[in-house]
C-alpha cells in the first residue's frame, strides 16, 4: 500500500486560495482573519484531512508539554487546551516535569528508529532555563507558554497581556471609589508577569493621582498560602486596604479565607480581584471578580506555532505573541463601605 503524503500548510493555502501565513493564523488561533476567510481555510483543512498521518496504521506524532508543577488548576486547564488543540491536528501529547526533561531523553525520541517527538512546549519556563538551550541545540521545534519574560528568549512564546489586564483590574477598583488598594503580586517569583502586574498597579494609582503606599504592597508566589498569609498582613494593618488586587486567583482565594477569619464580608468590607479566571473563580461565594487569561487560545496558538516550525513556515527570529486578557466582573467587588 502506497503511503499517502500528509498535506502541508502550502497545500491547504492553495486549496483555500489564501496565503500560507493566513493558514498559519487560522491554525494557531490568531486574530486579524475575516470570518469568510477563516471558513474557507477550515473547509480546506477538512477536505484535505490535514490532521492525518503518513499511513493509517502509523503512530501519531508526539508533542511534549513540560511543566514545573502539576498541582495548579491553571496548569491543568492549560493541559486540557493543549490536548484539545493537538488532537485536532493528529498529535499525541506527553507530559514531563521540568526536572525530568533532559536533552538525552529528547535526543532518544528524535532518533530515526523512534522519530516521534515533533515539538516541545515549555509551560511557564523560568528565565535562563537550560531547557531552552538544549532544545535549540537539538533543533527541536519549541515554544514557551506564559514564560517569566519573553525578552531574550531564544524560542517563540505565547503570553497573556499581563499589564493591560492588571490595569483594567486596578482601574475597576478605583472606579468603584477605592483609594486604599493593596496588591499581592509575584514580582520575585515571576519577574515577567509579576512585575508587569505591579507596574500596571502603580500606573493606575498614578493616573488616579494616588501614591503607591509601600505598606499596601506584598510580594507573593501566586499560591493560596501566600494569599492567606500576606492577605492577613494587609488586613491587620492599622489602616487596612478596602480592596486587594492579587496576581493570581489562588492568591485571591487565600485573601478571601483571611477575610473570613476576621469576620469581614466580601465585598461589603473588602473588594478582591484575582487574575487567571480558573474554573474555581466562578464557584466561590461570592463569585470572584478576576482577569481572564485565554488559556485554551494560548494552548492552541502554541500547538500551531510548533506546526509552523515543523513545516518551516516561520521566520528565523522567535516571535513573542501576547494574547488579550479580559476583566470579568462578578461578586467580590463593590464600592467601599468606609
Amino acid at each position: 500500500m502506497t503511503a499517502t503524503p500528509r498535506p502541508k500548510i502550502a497545500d491547504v493555502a492553495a486549496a483555500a486560495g489564501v496565503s500560507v501565513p493566513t493558514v498559519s493564523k487560522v491554525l494557531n488561533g490568531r486574530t486579524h482573519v475575516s470570518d469568510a476567510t477563516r471558513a474557507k481555510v477550515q473547509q480546506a483543512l477538512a477536505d484535505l484531512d490535514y490532521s492525518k498521518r503518513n499511513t493509517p496504521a502509523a503512530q501519531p506524532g508526539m508533542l511534549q508539554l513540560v511543566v514545573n508543577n502539576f498541582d495548579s488548576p491553571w496548569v491543568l486547564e492549560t493541559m486540557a487546551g493543549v490536548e484539545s488543540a493537538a488532537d485536532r491536528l493528529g498529535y499525541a501529547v506527553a507530559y514531563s516535569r521540568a526536572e525530568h526533561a533532559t536533552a538525552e531523553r529528547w535526543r532518544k525520541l528524535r532518533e530515526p528508529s523512534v522519530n516521534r517527538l515533533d515539538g516541545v512546549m515549555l509551560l511557564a519556563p523560568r528565565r535562563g532555563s537550560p531547557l531552552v538551550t538544549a532544545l535549540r541545540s537539538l533543533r527541536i521545534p519549541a515554544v514557551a507558554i506564559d514564560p517569566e519574560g519573553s525578552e531574550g528568549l531564544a524560542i517563540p512564546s505565547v503570553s497573556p497581556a499581563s499589564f493591560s489586564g492588571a490595569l483594567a483590574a486596578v482601574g475597576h477598583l478605583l472606579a468603584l471609589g477605592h483609594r486604599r488598594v493593596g496588591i499581592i503580586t509575584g514580582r520575585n517569583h515571576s519577574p515577567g508577569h509579576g512585575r508587569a502586574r505591579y507596574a500596571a498597579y502603580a500606573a493606575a494609582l498614578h493616573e488616579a493621582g494616588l501614591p503607591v503606599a509601600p505598606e499596601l504592597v506584598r510580594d507573593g508566589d501566586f499560591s493560596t498560602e501566600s494569599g492567606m498569609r500576606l492577605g492577613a498582613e494587609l488586613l491587620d494593618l492599622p489602616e487596612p486596604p478596602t480592596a486587594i488586587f492579587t496576581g493570581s486567583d489562588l492568591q485571591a482565594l487565600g485573601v478571601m479565607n483571611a477575610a473570613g477569619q476576621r469576620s469581614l464580608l466580601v465585598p461589603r468590607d473588602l473588594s478582591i480581584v484575582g487574575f487567571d479566571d480558573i474554573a474555581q473563580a466562578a464557584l466561590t461565594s461570592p463569585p470572584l471578580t478576576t482577569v481572564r487569561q485565554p488559556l485554551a487560545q494560548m494552548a492552541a496558538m502554541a500547538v500551531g506555532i510548533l506546526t509552523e516550525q515543523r513545516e518551516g513556515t516561520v521566520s528565523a527570529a522567535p516571535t513573542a505573541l501576547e494574547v488579550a486578557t479580559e476583566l470579568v466582573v462578578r461578586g467580590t467587588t463593590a464600592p467601599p463601605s468606609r
Side-chain angles (χ1 to χ4, degrees):
M1 179 178 177
T2 303
T4 303
R6 180 178 184 273
K8 295 185 176 296
I9 289 180
D11 300 322
V12 176
V18 299
S19 67
V20 167
T22 297
V23 177
S24 296
K25 288 180 181 179
V26 173
L27 281 173
N28 63 33
R30 296 185 207 172
T31 53
H32 307 301
V33 179
S34 69
D35 291 341
T37 299
R38 189 179 300 276
K40 287 196 299 183
V41 172
Q42 290 172 337
Q43 185 61 53
L45 290 168
D47 291 344
L48 294 175
D49 195 7
Y50 180 78
S51 65
K52 71 184 178 182
R53 310 308 297 173
N54 288 345
T55 67
Q59 289 182 317
M62 184 176 71
L63 304 178
Q64 186 178 88
L65 180 65
V66 179
V67 306
N68 296 311
N69 178 13
F70 282 104
D71 297 331
S72 167
W74 174 85
V75 172
L76 297 177
E77 291 183 30
T78 303
M79 289 169 60
V82 166
E83 285 189 1
S84 178
D87 182 68
R88 289 196 299 269
L89 295 177
Y91 291 105
V93 181
Y95 302 98
S96 174
R97 285 187 177 274
E99 62 265 31
H100 299 150
T102 64
E104 183 59 31
R105 291 190 179 189
W106 287 329
R107 189 178 292 107
K108 289 181 179 179
L109 289 171
R110 295 284 282 182
E111 289 176 354
S113 59
V114 181
N115 199 27
R116 290 197 60 215
L117 184 61
D118 286 327
V120 174
M121 290 163 282
L122 303 178
L123 184 56
R126 297 186 171 93
R127 285 184 182 271
S129 170
L131 299 180
V132 174
T133 303
L135 289 166
R136 283 180 54 82
S137 66
L138 294 170
R139 297 189 177 183
I140 297 175
V143 61
I145 303 175
D146 199 12
E148 283 188 348
S150 60
E151 185 178 351
L153 193 65
I155 59 175
S157 64
V158 181
S159 304
S162 283
F163 184 90
S164 62
L167 197 65
V170 181
H172 168 63
L173 293 172
L174 295 172
L176 289 172
H178 293 278
R179 289 300 177 264
R180 281 187 65 79
V181 180
I183 181 172
I184 303 174
T185 183
R187 287 185 294 172
N188 295 329
H189 179 74
S190 178
H193 296 304
R195 288 175 182 166
R197 291 165 199 177
Y198 172 77
Y201 164 80
L205 291 180
H206 177 76
E207 182 66 22
L210 299 171
V212 174
E215 71 271 16
L216 297 182
V217 178
R218 295 292 187 278
D219 288 336
D221 61 6
F222 299 129
S223 69
T224 303
E225 186 280 330
S226 73
M228 290 179 59
R229 174 173 50 84
L230 299 174
E233 291 182 11
L234 290 172
L235 296 176
D236 289 341
L237 289 171
E239 189 179 355
T242 62
I244 297 176
F245 168 56
T246 66
S248 74
D249 286 348
L250 292 180
Q251 284 182 326
L253 299 181
V255 173
M256 291 179 72
N257 189 291
Q261 291 177 351
R262 287 154 179 77
S263 299
L264 299 175
L265 295 179
V266 177
R268 189 195 70 181
D269 302 318
L270 177 70
S271 286
I272 303 172
V273 181
F275 202 110
D276 287 334
D277 197 25
I278 60 176
Q280 291 94 318
L283 304 177
T284 59
S285 182
L288 180 65
T289 295
T290 186
V291 177
R292 176 177 295 157
Q293 292 196 64
L295 298 178
Q297 183 184 0
M298 289 167 58
M301 291 173 70
V303 173
I305 288 171
L306 290 181
T307 300
E308 291 178 337
Q309 289 185 66
R310 187 170 180 269
E311 298 194 2
T313 57
V314 293
S315 62
T319 55
L321 302 178
E322 194 171 78
V323 186
T325 51
E326 174 189 2
L327 178 66
V328 181
V329 179
R330 295 193 179 106
T332 58
T333 51
S337 59
R338 55 182 169 86

